[in-house]
Amino acid sequence: MILTQTLSRRHVLAGLLLSTALAPNLPAAQTAAPTETPFSFEDLKREMKTRAALPDTPPALLDTFLDELSYDDYRNIYFRPEAARLMQPVTRFRLEAFHPGWLYKKPVKIHEIVDGVARPLTFSTKDFEYRNEVAEKLPEAPSLPGVAGVKINTPFNTAEKYDELITFLGASYFRALGAGNSYGLSARGLAVNTWRSGPEEFPRFSAFWIQRPTPEDSAIEVYAALDSASVTGAYRFVIAPGADTVIDVEAELYFRETVPHLGLAPLTSMFYFAEHSERRFDDFRPQVHDSDLLRMVRTSGDVLVRPLNNPPRVSNSFFADDEIIEFGLVQRDRSYEAYQDAGAQYHDRPSVMIDRVGDWGPGKIRLIEIPAKLEIDDNIVLLWVPDEAPQAGETRNYRYRMHWGALPADGNGELAYVYSTRTGVGGASGVPVENPNLRKFVIDFQGGTLGGLNPEAQVIPVVTASAGEISNPVLHKIDDADQRWRLFFDVDGQDAELIELVAHVADQERKLSEVWLFQWVREVTAGSEN
């Protein structure tokens, strides 16, 4: 299904984050809570359930010098590493804070849990370094009502340096890293009415509780309160750093109102262009994206991959497949040469795969692709949508496991993986185009059982299209050393504005490759080339 909307998602996010409340939304009777309080996940669930019976009342905007911080001011404020928390006793984890101000004008309260008791973690201007002009704006006795968010560091790249592991900042957004990664796509705690008719609602993490780790702990536990106009939630994150960082998430949601379109385990990324793109702009780099594939795994072992697009209009894809138990956004190209960008380091961006845990009930995976004019536009959204909309007064519990890291394709597995996708003008190369609706698709499959077969093996390309006409499918082995096979075919799009393509390689008994999916969104203009 294709939806046409003109508003850039980047503008929507920017506008909403400017006004997003990031402070605890406690009822008035609870604002004078004691300094130390018993804490458990069950306690947090009960509090959030009680809160759901009351209207959402975000706190007022800051009224200090923080209101006036500009972008340039904000980027000149640094947290002092020596002020990191969770350092006593010495552990694998250190916690730093983000200064309030600029986009983040409403504070988050942070707590530390020790022996089942929660104590506030307070931060002051002494924990930050104010450089250049912003130092001159600092009042004589400034105070911080809270912080904008938190960052947890751990030495999982080298033993000598505490590297960034995970950041919680803005609404319910968070980002994590595996070893050797640089920040790319983001996750959210929850999405409400994303790209539907009417405004999108952005739930916020309003407070955090961090379990103080022991020196022996290899994982750290973070709890969060989620608030929004239509829902509250109690969240638990168990974060284990490594080559692939694993995050176990449990979310218990309490609905103030009926939510027509709930998005679970949401991911937000950027796709500008790649080898398969019909490029509408010039750029010296061969690819620019944080993620290039949607990847889904069925209980049968089938793997579905769909190259992402930067479409000419907003595109929605739904995958209603009860057998899909894993899904996520993948950055498959891992060489610098694939991007030629020494600054952005797109080849190091993490992939994220999500394993559903327990019974989520019937639902579907939704992929939203939004036109991006610049590479700063977050134009890809992935989420899981339950078929039954939650009703006011209802409670739901969801658990899932997230894998953040390079997550390289397994060339030694049974299935050959999609190594690359390319597209171009259809027909024979080097001759004038006779049919402007004809387009060529070229898919390289690498590794697996297929990769080890000789070039004369009896393997079959299986290609289908939802519209138009497929012609000249050819499959051959192109590189014995890399165990790579190439499938190419032409599609006559005729007058279709959208064509869904599916392809894989098989023998007489089974699939030998991942299943390649592609959505060809066409700008059909009479008498013009596509």
Side-chain angles (χ1 to χ4, degrees):
M1 180 176 71
I2 300 294
L3 302 177
T4 301
Q5 300 183 14
T6 58
L7 186 60
S8 163
R9 179 173 179 79
R10 172 67 65 171
H11 295 154
V12 174
L13 286 174
L16 285 170
L17 289 179
L18 279 168
S19 59
T20 296
L22 292 174
N25 182 27
L26 293 173
Q30 299 185 34
T31 55
T35 301
E36 298 184 356
T37 56
F39 180 88
S40 70
F41 193 28
E42 295 306 312
D43 291 335
L44 180 58
K45 289 178 180 179
R46 284 190 289 270
E47 179 183 340
M48 301 314 293
K49 184 174 184 179
T50 299
R51 193 180 300 183
L54 302 169
D56 185 31
T57 53
L61 290 171
L62 300 173
D63 57 3
T64 66
F65 82 105
L66 301 173
D67 279 331
E68 301 175 359
L69 290 177
S70 67
Y71 166 75
D72 289 331
D73 291 334
Y74 196 78
R75 64 195 297 268
N76 277 298
I77 301 174
Y78 295 81
F79 189 85
R80 299 180 184 275
E82 64 271 18
R85 308 303 199 259
L86 308 179
M87 296 174 64
Q88 299 296 329
V90 176
T91 73
R92 290 185 59 187
F93 303 95
R94 294 182 180 177
L95 183 142
E96 298 183 1
F98 289 95
H99 200 281
W102 186 46
L103 296 182
Y104 313 107
K105 297 194 175 191
K106 301 194 176 179
V108 176
K109 299 298 184 183
I110 313 298
H111 310 80
E112 183 181 28
I113 307 167
V114 180
D115 297 328
V117 175
R119 302 178 177 89
L121 277 180
T122 57
F123 296 86
S124 72
T125 53
K126 294 181 180 179
D127 296 315
F128 296 88
E129 179 184 354
Y130 301 84
R131 300 179 184 175
N132 303 321
E133 292 81 2
V134 70
E136 301 174 3
K137 299 181 180 181
L138 200 64
E140 290 186 7
S143 62
L144 296 182
V147 294
V150 293
K151 174 171 62 180
I152 297 173
N153 299 334
T154 191
F156 69 123
N157 286 313
T158 66
E160 295 76 25
K161 181 176 181 289
Y162 277 75
D163 298 292
E164 296 184 24
L165 169 63
I166 189 169
T167 290
F168 294 90
L169 180 66
S172 66
Y173 283 84
F174 61 97
R175 301 191 297 175
L177 298 171
N181 290 156
S182 56
Y183 277 135
L185 78 170
S186 300
R188 282 190 274 171
L190 199 66
V192 175
N193 299 332
T194 301
W195 278 96
R196 310 291 289 182
S197 58
E200 179 173 356
E201 184 177 318
F202 284 81
R204 64 193 184 275
F205 285 137
S206 54
F208 293 95
W209 293 260
I210 296 94
Q211 176 71 50
R212 178 188 285 184
T214 69
E216 294 77 26
D217 285 340
S218 59
I220 187 167
E221 295 183 23
V222 176
Y223 300 86
L226 180 132
D227 277 295
S228 195
S230 61
V231 61
T232 68
Y235 279 71
R236 179 175 182 257
F237 302 88
V238 180
I239 306 156
D244 299 337
T245 290
V246 177
I247 304 177
D248 287 312
V249 183
E250 180 178 353
E252 184 145 305
L253 305 173
Y254 309 94
F255 292 90
R256 288 183 166 115
E257 300 175 5
T258 296
V259 174
H261 191 84
L262 185 69
L264 299 169
L267 299 176
T268 300
S269 192
M270 179 275 291
F271 179 89
Y272 195 34
F273 65 88
E275 296 163 327
H276 63 268
S277 300
E278 297 182 59
R279 290 168 62 159
R280 301 183 294 277
F281 35 76
D282 269 341
D283 199 297
F284 75 92
R285 298 165 295 181
Q287 300 189 79
V288 175
H289 48 73
D290 287 337
S291 309
D292 61 354
L293 290 175
L294 161 62
R295 182 174 183 267
M296 299 171 284
V297 181
R298 288 178 171 148
T299 54
S300 63
D302 285 351
V303 179
L304 315 177
V305 296
R306 225 220 58 186
L308 300 175
N309 285 313
N310 182 359
R313 53 191 178 274
V314 177
S315 172
N316 275 274
S317 299
F318 294 87
F319 303 88
D321 188 336
D322 291 337
E323 290 191 1
I324 295 174
I325 55 172
E326 301 174 32
F327 61 95
L329 296 175
V330 171
Q331 186 79 318
R332 182 151 282 183
D333 280 321
R334 287 296 172 188
S335 69
Y336 166 79
E337 289 72 20
Y339 304 92
Q340 296 289 326
D341 194 323
Q345 299 284 303
Y346 286 115
H347 60 287
D348 286 336
R349 301 298 169 98
S351 300
V352 178
M353 288 296 295
I354 296 169
D355 303 340
R356 289 195 290 148
V357 178
D359 184 9
W360 285 22
K364 59 183 70 69
I365 293 168
R366 182 185 176 201
L367 173 67
I368 310 168
E369 296 165 300
I370 304 157
K373 295 182 179 180
L374 300 170
E375 64 188 272
I376 61 172
D377 294 336
D378 288 334
N379 63 322
I380 304 296
V381 182
L382 180 68
L383 37 79
W384 193 91
V385 182
D387 285 346
E388 296 184 8
Q391 304 298 304
E394 187 177 351
T395 298
R396 292 192 181 183
N397 184 280
Y398 296 98
R399 292 182 296 130
Y400 53 96
R401 171 169 284 186
M402 310 182 79
H403 303 264
W404 296 71
L407 307 185
D410 183 6
N412 297 316
E414 292 186 5
L415 296 175
Y417 64 89
V418 174
Y419 177 83
S420 65
T421 300
R422 295 177 174 85
T423 66
V425 175
S429 300
V431 300
V433 178
E434 296 182 358
N435 180 359
N437 293 314
L438 199 64
R439 191 148 191 86
K440 189 178 299 295
F441 292 84
V442 182
I443 313 157
D444 285 357
F445 297 94
Q446 182 164 313
T449 301
L450 175 67
L453 298 179
N454 64 60
E456 291 75 33
Q458 298 299 306
V459 291
I460 308 164
V462 181
V463 186
T464 61
S466 63
E469 183 178 348
I470 296 170
S471 60
N472 304 320
V474 176
L475 174 69
H476 65 93
K477 195 167 190 178
I478 59 171
D479 193 325
D480 197 56
D482 284 340
Q483 300 189 334
R484 195 175 305 163
W485 289 71
R486 173 164 292 178
L487 167 62
F488 56 93
F489 55 89
D490 287 344
V491 179
D492 184 345
Q494 300 170 353
D495 60 355
E497 294 188 359
L498 183 149
I499 299 175
E500 299 283 358
L501 301 169
V502 182
H504 69 273
V505 180
D507 59 16
Q508 298 295 333
E509 299 178 352
R510 56 180 173 163
K511 291 185 179 73
L512 296 176
S513 72
E514 294 179 329
V515 178
W516 174 89
L517 312 175
F518 194 90
Q519 187 181 79
W520 183 15
V521 181
R522 306 178 64 229
E523 296 183 90
V524 179
T525 303
S528 68
E529 295 184 8
N530 289 280

